[in-house]
Amino acid sequence: MILLTMIARVADGLPLAASMQEDEQSGRDLQHYQSQAKQLCRKLNAQSPNRCTLEAGVMSFHYVIEHGVCYLALCEAVFPKKLVFGYLEVLQTEFNEQHGKKVPTVSRPYSFIEFDVYIQKTKKNYIDSRARRNLGSINTELQDVQRIMVANIEEVLQRGEALSALDTKASDLSSLSKKYRSDAKYLNTRSIYAKIAAGAVFFITLIVYMRFWWI
Amino acid sequence: MSNTDFSSQNGAGGPPYANGPSQNPVALQPPGPGYMAHQTPYNPMQAKGPMPPGPGLYNSGPYQPIPPVSSNQALPGQPMLKRPPMGPQHSMTPPQSASPNPGSRIPPAHATPPPVSANNYQHAPAWQYGGTPPMGAPPSMGAPPPMAMPPLRPVGNHMTSSPSLATPQASSAEYRATPPVFHNAMQPLGPPTSLQGYTQQGSAPLLMNPMAAPHSYQPVMRAPYGGPPPSVRPTPPTTGPPMGNASPPLGPKTDAGPLPPQQPGPPTRHMGLSYPSLPPGYQNTSAPPNAATMQHPVQPSTQPYSHPPPYQQLSAGPAQLSPSLSGLSLQSQTPEALRVVNLLQERNLLPLGPVTPPTPCLPQDLQKINCHPEVFRSTLTSIPQTQSLLNKAKLPLGLLLHPFKDLSQLPVVTSSTIVRCRSCRTYINPFVTFLDQRRWKCNLCYRVNDVPEEFMYNPVSRSYGEPHKRPEVQNATLEFIAPSEYMLRPPQPAVYLIVLDVSHNAVETGYLDVVCQSLLENINALPGDSRTKIGFITFDSTIHFYNLQEGLSQPQMLIVSDIEDIFLPTPDSLLVNLNECKELVQDLLRSLPQMFGKTMETQCALGPALQAAFKLLSATGGRVSVFQTQLPSLGVGALKSREDPNQRASAKDIQHLSPATDFYKKLALDCSGQQVAVDLFLLSSQYCDLASLGCISRYSAGSVYYYPSYHQQHNPAGVECFQKDLKRYLTRKIGFEAVMRIRCSKGLSIHTFHGNFFVRSTDLLSLPNVNPDAGFAVQMSIEENLVDMQSVSFQAALLYTSSKGERRIRVHTMCLPVVNSLSDIFAGADVQAITCLLASMAVDRSVTASLSDARDAMTNASIDSLTSFRTSVLTIQQPGLLAPACLRLFPLYILALLKQKAFRTGTSTRLDDRVFAMCQLKYQPLAYVMLMIHPALYRVDDLTDEGALNVSERTIPQPRVQQLSVEKLSRDGAFLMDAGSVIYLWIGRNCNPNFLTQVLGLPNYAAVPLNMNMLPELDTAESQRTRAFVGWLREQRPFFPILHVIRDESPLKASFLQNMIEDRTESALSYYEFLLHIQQQVSK
């Protein structure tokens, strides 16, 4: 079951089109996944792998990046991967044909929301188990699906945070070590002064002693 | 003299100037040399000035008195500056500053350097006016004049030695604002010339002659406006060079044109150098700087005269002024709004044309960009400073909104970041203050915010560094395209679900034909895009769904007879894409009226049908249109008749105004949560318990339409009306999944909302659908004293998804002055808005308490406010019932409300009619409510083209509005009564035969049919005029008023006569008796 489909521009994460199926029977709240999908689109960049599956508990995100546009789908983890990527490929071809040239110029979110109509129709084909049989050809074409990278959504979303945490820790460390260094210096100086003072006291006592007892 | 001058100034009108100017001219002529001399003459003026200023202001406009205040308001910055003490000094300073300022207008941005003296000074004065009411300028009044004089002299010096002048001032003032830099800049420019130039620029070329006029103008302008340069601008033109001074300050705008010779240089400089940050638009915020600049220019050239007076006025300080004004107003210079009217003697109170809303006393530049009164209106256009003052005035404080009104011109802004205040989330608007180029101060919570980098670029002029020229800061009404942060989910498609009653009773009325026909005709005009979805449900004792899936040869009907536990027979295909399944939908619409032709099912399960509709739409949200013709009798939500027809007229109090069950309210709240709105069309000849059914629309932000006695054959007028309304309903603009929030300045709080919506959090209105015909009202209280504020602002922001799937935010901002005297409050009262707000409050009261309570409350409202006016504002007690001119219609409107269907007693009124009238009072925008309350009566048998309007090449005669009294009807005439949703054309028994033949196409009076609803299209001038007039009246509202031609024997004559509000009926007082009653209470 494909629950959510989103098409976004990779450069700035601007959503271009989306289709959301609120599923009454399951009563699942998609709001959480919806915001994860938005975050994900913002995190993606030119360096991201072109095809990837991200696990998010009982659900999985699958995405394809082509021509600077990300096609993202959310479905249950048990839903066949081949089908999802076949579905995303079809969307990609059609979207690129219809709107590909306009993608870099738009600034309004969901500028191509009307593409939703096509998404819904395609989705119906892929979800419907009777129609699925007709898609056998697609299954064979997508042999390489097995090699698609799998990662965890939390990791991807938090990768940036972990780096920044590391950064903070490192800077904490360096400031702490600086403090340690200055503290050590200070202590050294103090101990030298203490030694000098002790020596001076000893000599003075010695001189006094010599003076009164030797003379 | 002084008074007159002032008034003229306030008015800004040319003529008034004469007084001032005449003197001035003489003085002016000598200008260069004789400043001093002039000054002396002026001083007297000034001395007088203090008193006059107030009155003068009033004189000019009804509200003008306020202007000073308003100026203050305009300058949000003022509070920050806290200039009050400055006041006296200011007056002094202006002259000095004048010379420097021209150059230094820039300073506003700089703000800091005291040396700038000139600029600073001016600023300060401005502030005083606006913001320093507390100052109690009066002392300054005396002093300032002299002060002013000195400065004038210096002016000459200024050019060369502005610094010196500046220093003294600097010391006195806290003028941090002016940077020394300015001086330098200015000087290079050619100080003397520059100054003049500035002034001239402002005033412009023509002004030279006006020398005299200028004087007056400048003072006036400045005084009232305080901060706002714009106002100044206007004046300058009139004045000569001296005037110019005044004008120059106005700023860049003024500068541009006028200055002939030298000026160009200076102005340009201003523009480019100093001002960038303080563009006119910003003036509001930056008012202080502007003011300073303004003054400066003036000073140089001149005309000390003009300057001093303004200052004096200003110095008086808002606070002091207003009291003094109030006193004055009564004595001689009462503003038009406060002119005392003895209602018992003056019979003819109706204005010739429509009643116009009062104009807030704001500086002209602010008022010019203020929100249009049809969209945003306050009951008091001058906000009282404290709650106790408001309590004393006994007038309700509230706002009336028409936020989604169809607008012919609406600026739309697309921007990746929408600039909002970081603490209160207010959208940036024309009334914020720019402290400098990179910071702005919120006009609602006064927080200082940064201007984001993108905002520095102006997409309209394609220039950088002028944030004040951005459309956001130039328009009080505009729309943003929202970025994706404003969306919780992808924008929903337009989804329409039609729910039809097909029981025997419904089929009998024949409404199905009309609905299906109308849908067929308008199916391509439904707002939407390629995603638009549509679905149908019909119901009698069972619920019928229609499968319209693509590929079916004909629509498939699915019947669910289990109405106890409703379910959807198939998960999809009940709501289908309109574009793809249009054929099937059209098929269904064509066959639907016949499908139930022979039904014998009389029961009707509305509740389960609504539940099914909710289930169908809950995934997407959208609009449900329910057509219902009888009392629901099956399943949940079944109702019983609660009305006893015999009690209609005799009952002491009206029962059953509240819902009988909370089922509809609960369901409406569920709908609201899923972004579903339910619109109810009630076509019925019997009692349907609208009080209960109406809840479904009320809480889901839908609308209610009611067609009593609807029948295809027996009521053709009703059918036509239904057809036209349906057309409008189907094709009008619509916004989905909307929320609206109304914010107001700190110190004010909104506590009650009226209209159709659900209040989600304390101030967030949830509107699953918003339509252009919906009005809203809110009541406010003053929680903290507004002592330091010159003005307060209100902002309504409506976030919605358009039918094209765009998320948009429509923002309206209104700015109003704050006043501290009762007379100013009364002068700013908006009688129509007050009446409408009272009507909404009375509706609530009659539901929660009782109808008689509500009636008493309305009567008391008029008594209390007139009592308050009599005891607190009037100084001379005269006999009679006295009211300020602006409230002269108040008792009439209250009486009209008491006789309105919603509130009348003693006359037989069907409960549903009454409840529907109540719904309309709460839900309709002000303009239509006013017609419902107080219809307009015109004599139409003698229409002429005199004074006619020309609208798109049609000539529309404008007859005079008559009083609603039978004595105004004459038997030899024909009268048209426009009551909003219905228009009556009454033909007198001896009506001019010419009218009968030329307009009605009838040979004589006896031939007038008893039910005639059309004007024949005759090729005569009279017929064309009459039809043009009726057509014009109809065009002005979104619904279709039926025209009834009536004569003495017509059955509708009674309802026509019931609208004759000023006459006595067996159960209600005549207008004169009502006035006597009020007078008795008032003079107690």
Side-chain angles (χ1 to χ4, degrees), chain B residues 61 106 126 197 218 281 295 411 447 459 535 572 574 685 719 746 929 1005:
Chain B
I106 311 149
Q218 295 179 349
Q295 298 179 355
R447 184 191 205 275
D572 47 7
L574 296 179
S685 47
V719 173
K746 208 163 80 180
V929 171
Y1005 177 77

Side-chain angles (χ1 to χ4, degrees), chain B residues 664-711:
Chain B
Y664 294 99
K665 179 178 177 180
K666 279 184 175 162
L667 185 60
L669 296 184
D670 289 344
C671 287
S672 178
Q674 298 296 326
Q675 309 294 353
V676 176
V678 183
D679 293 334
L680 179 64
F681 288 81
L682 200 55
L683 310 115
S684 152
S685 47
Q686 285 148 17
Y687 174 70
C688 275
D689 202 351
L690 187 58
S692 302
L693 294 184
C695 289
I696 190 75
S697 297
R698 182 168 165 203
Y699 295 100
S700 69
S703 21
V704 177
Y705 294 82
Y706 177 51
Y707 303 91
S709 314
Y710 183 89
H711 195 278

